[in-house]
Amino acid sequence: IIHTLNLTVLPAVVGAVEDVTICQGESYTWHGNAYNASGKYEWTLKDINGCDSVVTLNLTVLPAPQNSTELATICEGDSVVWNGATYSQSGVYTTTLQDANGCDYQSTLELVVLTQGQDSVLDKTICYGETFKWNGVEYKQSGTYSYKLDSCDATATLNLVVLPQPSD
């Protein structure tokens, strides 16, 4: 008795690789599952011949950009241009911007408008390694800083305290 075996070898199935980058705080849905941590994820599928095919997701989660706050002091009747808009009233203005990677962050302007002869004092505490932007200048050392506003004969003073570096 002769037995004949007809063997068909199907070609190897090459799985797809998908490289995806998202911002921290976002998630990516892939094959019905939501992912929000960097890593390599695999999913096994059956092709039309019933063979396994592994597809791979290489997910990169970018760190969140740091939100920024700037304080500006102007005289009544003056204005400041910030992120393309003009402001002349005391208040806190916040806008959402994108960093170079396309990740959203909050940028805030705290605007103080002084009247003729009115001085102001701001006490601010920041953590070690941070900077504080005041009237266009970045400060990162404890100290008392003054800013003279000639148009309304006023002085704005910043008392900045930088907390010490935490010890391990």
Side-chain angles (χ1 to χ4, degrees), residues 68 70 80-87 93-95 97 107-109:
S68 67
E70 179 177 351
V80 63
V81 176
W82 180 74
N83 289 324
T86 302
Y87 299 93
Y93 305 95
T94 300
T95 189
L97 301 173
S107 182
T108 301
L109 171 66

Side-chain angles (χ1 to χ4, degrees), residues 36 48 61 83 106 142 147:
N36 60 9
I48 59 172
V61 179
N83 289 324
Q106 298 293 309
S142 293
Y147 179 75

Side-chain angles (χ1 to χ4, degrees), residues 9-14 47 49 51:
V9 177
L10 299 172
V13 177
V14 178
D47 70 7
N49 298 311
C51 298

Side-chain angles (χ1 to χ4, degrees), residues 7-160:
L7 178 63
T8 302
V9 177
L10 299 172
V13 177
V14 178
V17 175
E18 190 173 347
D19 295 315
V20 175
T21 302
I22 62 173
C23 301
Q24 186 174 352
E26 296 177 346
S27 65
Y28 183 74
T29 301
W30 188 65
H31 293 283
N33 295 309
Y35 299 91
N36 60 9
S38 292
K40 179 179 178 179
Y41 302 95
E42 295 182 337
W43 188 266
T44 303
L45 305 169
K46 297 279 184 193
D47 70 7
I48 59 172
N49 298 311
C51 298
D52 286 346
S53 174
V54 177
V55 293
T56 303
L57 169 65
N58 293 319
L59 183 63
T60 302
V61 179
L62 299 172
Q66 186 174 2
N67 292 332
S68 67
T69 299
E70 179 177 351
L71 179 71
T73 307
I74 62 173
C75 294
E76 191 172 46
D78 292 341
S79 61
V80 63
V81 176
W82 180 74
N83 289 324
T86 302
Y87 299 93
S88 60
Q89 301 278 328
S90 290
V92 177
Y93 305 95
T94 300
T95 189
T96 301
L97 301 173
Q98 288 188 336
D99 69 3
N101 295 316
C103 296
D104 291 346
Y105 69 97
Q106 298 293 309
S107 182
T108 301
L109 171 66
E110 296 178 17
L111 181 60
V112 176
V113 178
L114 299 178
T115 59
Q116 184 69 29
Q118 176 189 11
D119 293 335
S120 74
V121 176
L122 171 68
D123 296 318
K124 183 71 177 173
T125 301
I126 61 173
C127 294
Y128 178 84
E130 291 181 344
T131 59
F132 182 72
K133 193 169 185 180
W134 182 56
N135 295 314
V137 179
E138 289 189 352
Y139 297 92
K140 57 183 173 181
Q141 294 182 350
S142 293
T144 299
Y145 305 95
S146 292
Y147 179 75
K148 181 75 173 149
L149 294 102
D150 291 328
S151 63
C152 60
D153 191 31
T155 301
T157 302
L158 168 65
N159 295 316
L160 182 64

